[in-house]
Amino acid sequence: MAFSQSTVSNVRWSIDGGGLWVAWDSSSPAGTIYQVYLDGALAWSGTRTHCALAPPRGRVRVDVGTVAAGEGSTSFAGDLPARPARRVRLTWPGADGVAGYRVYQSPTAGAAVGTTPVARLAADGGAGSSYSWTSADLGRGDWSFAVTAVDQVGDESIAATASATIAGPPKPPARNAAGDRLTYTYDPATGVAALSWLPPES
């Protein structure tokens, strides 16, 4: 039996007492073995529906699922759901008389295309050939790109431009002066608790 998330739901986590606390609901019977992965690495296994882990550095992806008896220490990292693609792939046709191509990219989401090439590709074919370039992982937002052709003496053509939007999960609320992302007040007379938070971090 491989790693399965079919019976696991409502996975939740928080930083508590300096550690990462993870809990989940499951329709599996008592005694089922669960595994918890942080950013694709096996971090815990056991029969409880909660665990405490060392605090992560920065944001992490948490995956929780079940495995068969005796497989608690077996890594099923290859069976984890694929992380959504956050890269941009550019393709363009080749042209005659070109020594190479330069790729430009905005340095941050929402910014204009930078003036320093992020990639240089040598031309190995003329008209009828094709070229491609794939970016590194990008943060959420709108990104701009440009490709220029370079001749034998280093002169660049007018840039061909493109843009892409990288989708991602919403950013968390900003921290208040006390460092909290979520605060609440409780009115004992009405028995009502009110939650409050700041807009997401920019």
Side-chain angles (χ1 to χ4, degrees):
M1 172 183 172
F3 180 84
S4 172
Q5 296 178 303
S6 62
T7 64
V8 174
S9 62
N10 192 26
V11 177
R12 51 208 182 271
W13 56 91
S14 65
I15 301 294
D16 184 16
L20 175 65
W21 177 82
V22 183
W24 57 93
D25 298 330
S26 177
S27 59
S28 292
T32 295
I33 299 176
Y34 299 93
Q35 289 185 334
V36 176
Y37 291 79
L38 298 184
D39 278 345
L42 179 60
W44 179 89
S45 66
T47 57
R48 302 189 308 269
T49 54
H50 61 87
C51 68
L53 304 170
R57 294 183 177 179
R59 302 172 70 179
V60 296
R61 170 177 166 169
V62 177
D63 288 285
V64 180
T66 62
V67 296
E71 294 181 337
S73 60
T74 301
S75 175
F76 291 98
D79 293 335
L80 298 179
R83 184 182 296 269
R86 302 187 69 170
R87 299 184 177 191
V88 171
R89 181 179 176 83
L90 304 178
T91 60
W92 63 92
D96 292 330
V98 174
Y101 298 91
R102 294 175 185 170
V103 181
Y104 298 83
Q105 172 187 305
S106 49
T108 59
V113 173
T115 58
T116 302
V118 295
R120 299 172 187 263
L121 288 76
D124 56 7
S129 60
S130 63
Y131 296 86
S132 66
W133 171 83
T134 302
S135 73
D137 283 342
L138 301 173
R140 65 193 300 262
D142 298 323
W143 293 83
S144 298
F145 304 87
V147 176
T148 63
V150 183
D151 65 17
Q152 300 294 338
V153 296
D155 293 329
E156 288 187 82
S157 68
I158 295 174
T161 61
S163 61
T165 299
I166 300 296
K171 292 187 177 181
R175 295 185 184 276
N176 60 22
D180 299 320
R181 296 188 190 275
L182 182 67
T183 59
Y184 74 93
T185 57
Y186 176 72
D187 186 343
T190 61
V192 174
L195 300 176
S196 61
W197 56 91
L198 297 173
E201 299 171 323
S202 59

